[in-house]
Amino acid sequence: MLSNPKIVVVGSLNMDIVVETDVIPMVGETVLGQQAHFIPGGKGANQAVALARLGADVQMIGAVGTDSFGKDLLDALQREGIALDGIKQEDGVATGIAIIQLCQKDNRITVVPGANHRVLPSDVDRHESLIAAADLVLLQMEIPLPTVVQAARIAKRYGKTVILNPAPAQVLPEGLLAQIDYITPNKSELDVLAGNESQGQKDLEQSIAQMFAQGAKHVITTLGANGVAFAGNDTPLTTCPCYSVEVVDTTGAGDAFNAGLAYSIATGAKLADAANFASRVAALSVTKLGAQAGMPTLEEVMTKGMCLDEKVSD
């Protein structure tokens, strides 16, 4: 069992501009906010930070601009001990940003990709050696889809475990799922991928079955307050409850879950144990403001996380 797995994250880096308000404005309406925060984010960077805090040896492939936001994001990753060799700085392109409106402990997010759209297949090719040396590769879809495809292709060439967090959801190119070992949509993303817009447990089973028909090997679906559902070629559909915590900010919950799952799988855990570990990581992450700031350490997961109460949905 690996104690410090080597994980490559290929993904996005954004500066999150978080605005706290009491209400969400209607169209044409102006409301006053309480506070504004500039917080390092981006799905790729969030997952990289979460992995580093859990104890993984993390390399990241991505892009930022040469502006002040880009410098701030690189500094934040470096403080977490994440290697920056795979991150390029693009002249004349703004660093990606995310506008996050935080209201009543929930959020609405608008992403302006900026330099993230300059993460190209050739960048993955240039850093092929990082993937070759890794135990696991973690992908998301805030970067161009051809880059995701290339990263998965190279990873499988070297026999690496690949996890795809298909967010934001979009139709996947034919053959991509054959390169993916674990896919981790939330319920709405699962419905988009499966072409299913209905609701309910029957729909969940049908959607997961459709993912298997498209070539998926393992499907892990987060269900918000209803916990997590997962299934694999050798694992029947199983659900586990979420954990009850005092919620401060849900922005990075999905990224925390994916990092926890990736770390656990890379250390040799079975799917059920990995899903449970990931749920504890996600639960702890929402107790602090800011996606990256809320990512727990392995010690916190093994102490505070073990004391969490399971929240069984009615």
Side-chain angles (χ1 to χ4, degrees), residues 43 47 165 184 222 250-260 282 285-286 295:
K43 295 192 72 63
Q47 293 175 18
N165 174 210
T184 62
T222 52
T250 61
T251 305
D255 296 329
F257 181 89
N258 277 275
S285 76
V286 304
M295 299 305 180

Side-chain angles (χ1 to χ4, degrees), residues 242-261:
C242 64
Y243 290 92
S244 180
V245 295
E246 286 293 322
V247 175
V248 173
D249 181 7
T250 61
T251 305
D255 296 329
F257 181 89
N258 277 275
L261 186 78

Side-chain angles (χ1 to χ4, degrees), residues 31-293:
V31 300
L32 294 178
Q34 286 117 8
Q35 297 185 71
H37 310 269
F38 293 82
I39 304 173
K43 295 192 72 63
N46 292 346
Q47 293 175 18
V49 167
L51 284 163
R53 290 190 182 175
L54 291 173
D57 179 352
V58 184
Q59 295 269 0
M60 185 169 180
I61 297 174
V64 296
T66 55
D67 50 23
S68 61
F69 281 169
K71 181 182 183 303
D72 290 343
L73 295 181
L74 294 179
D75 288 346
L77 293 182
Q78 195 165 39
R79 286 195 297 271
E80 299 289 343
I82 296 167
L84 307 181
D85 299 349
I87 302 175
K88 67 179 181 180
Q89 293 182 272
E90 284 280 284
D91 287 324
V93 181
T95 297
I97 62 171
I99 310 298
I100 301 172
Q101 191 157 26
L102 189 62
C103 176
Q104 304 298 322
K105 299 181 181 180
D106 211 339
N107 61 70
R108 295 187 180 187
I109 304 174
T110 301
V111 175
V112 182
N116 293 310
H117 272 184
R118 300 293 185 93
V119 184
L120 305 176
S122 58
D123 295 315
V124 180
D125 293 339
R126 187 163 58 253
H127 298 293
E128 182 175 333
S129 61
L130 300 181
I131 294 175
D135 300 304
L136 183 147
V137 176
L138 179 57
L139 309 169
Q140 326 79 34
M141 302 202 302
E142 285 184 338
I143 58 175
L145 196 50
T147 307
V148 174
V149 172
Q150 183 67 356
R153 182 181 297 123
I154 290 175
K156 296 319 293 181
R157 183 189 306 160
Y158 288 100
K160 307 302 179 179
T161 299
V162 180
I163 297 178
L164 174 63
N165 174 210
Q170 54 187 294
V171 177
L172 301 179
E174 185 176 352
L176 176 58
L177 282 177
Q179 307 291 325
I180 303 299
D181 297 290
Y182 300 86
I183 188 166
T184 62
N186 64 26
K187 183 57 171 63
S188 62
E189 291 158 355
L190 176 66
D191 290 338
V192 170
L193 296 173
N196 191 342
E197 297 181 357
S198 60
Q199 301 294 325
Q201 179 67 19
K202 184 177 180 181
D203 164 56
L204 176 65
E205 295 172 0
Q206 291 176 343
S207 294
I208 290 178
Q210 288 173 20
M211 296 301 295
F212 286 132
Q214 295 175 32
K217 301 176 184 68
H218 302 88
V219 180
I220 302 94
T221 301
T222 52
L223 304 171
N226 293 321
V228 180
F230 56 89
N233 290 338
D234 55 357
T235 305
L237 180 61
T238 305
T239 59
C240 62
C242 64
Y243 290 92
S244 180
V245 295
E246 286 293 322
V247 175
V248 173
D249 181 7
T250 61
T251 305
D255 296 329
F257 181 89
N258 277 275
L261 186 78
Y263 176 85
S264 192
I265 287 172
T267 58
K270 299 294 186 182
L271 180 55
D273 293 332
N276 185 270
F277 179 85
S279 294
R280 295 203 304 271
V281 175
L284 291 173
S285 76
V286 304
T287 62
K288 297 178 184 178
L289 178 66
Q292 292 182 19

